[in-house]
Amino acid sequence: HRALLEARQPFRDLELYKTGERGEPLWIRVSGEPVFDPRGNFLGYRGVARDATERKRADQLLNLEHRVTRALADASGVAAALRESMRAICEVEDYDCGRYFELDEGRNVMLFRECWYVERDDAKRYAESARGFSYALGEGLVGTAWQSGQLLWVLDLWQDARVAHPQLARETGMRGNFNFPVQFEGRV
């Protein structure tokens, strides 16, 4: 792109990224034509810009879908499939860790099954600490998402009264949490 600008050439569909006021990603697509005065002196560029955020997000989600599908197809077992799927989601969404809880129908609780985390001690501690955790219907964030069957986004684990282990979140520096219930045949 710089070579085109230095040569005063037109450019097409340059994608630029910035972070919005609320931390959200914003993408624009810019095209420009050089402008010269009657003597041939370069004056600058004239062009158009379009918001490309929705298209970039759609591309990102499609790529994530393909990555998860490949992870499921290539996995050596359920645990590997879960870890690689969580890894794909966490890397695309820039999450530090993912934890998967599974319904134990005999006890009617959600039990920790698997996790993935970035290679950092705090993320590892937060993710691995869930081993042995179980949640009844409506208990903690996992039980709340299970009960409602709805996505649950928590911005501050340190303050939300539904958090079962707020001290763990404080000790590891984890603040936000996104819970989504996996549904199969109409059941979470």
Side-chain angles (χ1 to χ4, degrees):
H1 177 70
R2 286 190 175 147
L4 287 174
L5 294 179
E6 288 172 9
R8 309 298 191 232
Q9 295 294 310
F11 62 91
R12 302 270 179 268
D13 299 324
L14 173 68
E15 290 186 342
L16 302 172
Y17 170 85
K18 77 175 213 169
T19 303
E21 292 178 10
R22 296 182 310 269
E24 73 279 14
L26 301 172
W27 287 90
I28 60 170
R29 182 177 270 184
V30 181
S31 296
E33 295 279 337
V35 177
F36 300 93
D37 69 14
R39 293 186 188 153
N41 296 314
F42 176 71
L43 298 175
Y45 277 89
R46 160 183 68 216
V48 295
R50 296 181 304 277
D51 184 343
T53 305
E54 284 185 35
R55 186 194 54 76
K56 287 295 277 190
R57 182 64 176 158
D59 289 349
Q60 185 181 45
L61 292 175
L62 181 62
N63 289 335
L64 175 59
E65 182 180 338
H66 291 168
R67 190 169 163 193
V68 169
T69 300
R70 275 192 310 274
L72 294 174
D74 296 343
S76 59
V78 174
L82 287 169
R83 275 192 309 276
E84 285 307 307
S85 295
M86 285 187 284
R87 177 185 185 144
I89 293 166
C90 290
E91 287 178 351
V92 166
E93 297 300 324
D94 197 27
Y95 298 154
D96 290 339
C97 68
R99 304 185 305 183
Y100 178 78
F101 291 82
E102 184 173 77
L103 177 61
D104 178 331
E105 292 188 48
R107 294 176 45 203
N108 200 34
V109 296
M110 288 287 179
L111 293 175
F112 173 84
R113 172 74 185 256
E114 196 56 64
C115 65
W116 177 87
Y117 47 86
V118 294
E119 292 299 322
R120 234 182 36 236
D121 289 343
D122 57 342
K124 178 180 180 179
R125 180 168 176 230
Y126 184 80
E128 293 282 350
S129 70
R131 294 192 189 282
F133 284 0
S134 65
Y135 296 97
L137 192 65
E139 179 184 18
L141 299 177
V142 172
T144 301
W146 173 26
Q147 184 174 42
S148 71
Q150 301 293 313
L151 302 173
L152 176 60
W153 185 276
V154 175
L155 295 177
D156 192 346
L157 293 171
W158 301 5
Q159 302 296 321
D160 195 298
R162 298 169 295 184
V163 175
H165 306 282
Q167 187 61 33
L168 176 63
R170 283 187 201 96
E171 290 170 2
T172 58
M174 295 294 168
R175 295 300 293 243
N177 189 286
F178 177 63
N179 296 266
F180 61 96
V182 177
Q183 297 190 21
F184 178 72
E185 295 181 347
R187 296 179 33 222
V188 175

